[in-house]
Amino acid sequence: MSVLRTAAGRARAPRLAGGRQNLVTVAVVLAVLVLWQVGVTVAGTSVTVLPGPLAIATQADWGTVLQAAGVTVLSTFLGFLVGNLVGLVLAVVITASRLLSDLVFPLAVFVRSIPIVALAPFLILAFGRGPAASTAVAALIVFFPTLINVILGLRSVPAEAIELTRVINASALFQYVHVRIPFALPAFVSALKISAPSAVLGVMTAEWIVGGAGLGRLVVQSWLTLEVPTMWAGVVLSAVVAWLLFSAVSLTERLLLGWAVRT
């Protein structure tokens, strides 16, 4: 009975830790907002230089901001999904064949090493000016961390587990589905956490470089027209989108991989 209580306590520990972490996060955000507002009020900072949270909330063009956020969220989600899927598939391919590893991995490193600004003309020709190009940029930024982390996870399987599959004469497909991929899941989730905010940054950068109707474009246009509260509203909302995506990944990790979560 004591063993069962201990196991149940360990199962609840990640959930309790996650709840406390969320409360701490909310408290920190509220403290930052209060200090921000007090600071600009005491210093008498102009709204055109650095508006406070109250000025952003009351003076920003939230209709335009929310409309732009919808475009950014869609591109971010698609880029996040496609980039991670490509990274996962390439990682499996690379670890499954030495020949494919020698061919695919250097090409992946080369593609990821090219600056996004240099790729802008090709992206415009291939996808046009719009959400498709932004999605492609997010996917390019996201896939490499997933590729590296999943390769590490697939190659970190204990030798005893691999030897056991050979003893029972299991196929390579069985070895990947039942041994390698489950062992690589924690590394894959870690890659998702890294790529979540990167996907938002990639989309906003693309919207600024190749054009679009998302938050990246809105932030630049608002800055040029001195609509500073609207600009800051776009910046803050992009941070919220990144935080929500990261939180969704963390929640999925606690629900599906509670056995791998460390408190």
Side-chain angles (χ1 to χ4, degrees):
M1 183 67 71
S2 61
V3 174
L4 294 177
R5 290 198 190 98
T6 302
R10 290 177 179 175
R12 288 194 300 267
R15 299 179 185 178
L16 295 176
R20 287 195 297 268
Q21 183 179 0
N22 291 334
L23 290 176
V24 171
T25 301
V26 172
V28 170
V29 170
L30 291 176
V32 170
L33 292 177
V34 171
L35 291 175
W36 182 359
Q37 183 63 49
V38 171
V40 297
T41 301
V42 172
T45 307
S46 172
V47 175
T48 58
V49 177
L50 179 62
L54 292 179
I56 295 173
T58 57
Q59 299 180 25
D61 184 0
W62 284 103
T64 303
V65 172
L66 293 176
Q67 184 177 2
V71 177
T72 299
V73 168
L74 178 61
S75 298
T76 299
F77 177 77
L78 292 177
F80 183 77
L81 182 64
V82 172
N84 283 294
L85 182 61
V86 170
L88 178 62
V89 172
L90 287 181
V92 173
V93 168
I94 288 172
T95 55
S97 170
R98 182 57 184 268
L99 176 61
L100 292 176
S101 175
D102 294 337
L103 293 175
V104 175
F105 189 72
L107 180 61
V109 174
F110 174 76
V111 171
R112 183 60 185 87
S113 301
I114 301 176
I116 297 300
V117 175
L119 288 174
F122 302 97
L123 292 173
I124 293 174
L125 289 175
F127 301 102
R129 293 182 178 273
S134 303
T135 300
V137 171
L140 284 173
I141 291 177
V142 161
F143 93 95
F144 196 71
T146 299
L147 176 67
I148 298 301
N149 277 271
V150 176
I151 287 176
L152 179 62
L154 292 173
R155 290 178 174 173
S156 300
V157 179
E160 295 82 0
I162 300 298
E163 187 62 28
L164 179 60
T165 61
R166 293 171 180 168
V167 169
I168 63 176
N169 199 26
S171 64
L173 179 61
F174 179 93
Q175 183 186 104
Y176 268 85
V177 172
H178 295 281
V179 180
R180 290 190 180 273
I181 292 180
F183 268 98
L185 283 178
F188 179 53
V189 174
S190 296
L192 295 181
K193 288 182 176 181
I194 295 172
S195 60
S198 299
V200 180
L201 176 62
V203 167
M204 293 191 64
T205 302
E207 290 169 345
W208 171 45
I209 296 176
V210 304
L215 290 175
R217 190 70 171 177
L218 175 68
V219 168
V220 176
Q221 289 180 337
S222 300
W223 172 59
L224 293 175
T225 57
L226 296 180
E227 298 175 12
V228 180
T230 300
M231 181 195 75
W232 274 98
V235 172
V236 171
L237 197 54
S238 67
V240 171
V241 171
W243 175 74
L244 289 176
L245 186 55
F246 180 89
S247 299
V249 174
S250 299
L251 178 61
T252 303
E253 179 185 31
R254 288 197 295 271
L255 293 177
L256 302 181
L257 297 176
W259 54 271
V261 175
R262 295 293 181 265
T263 58

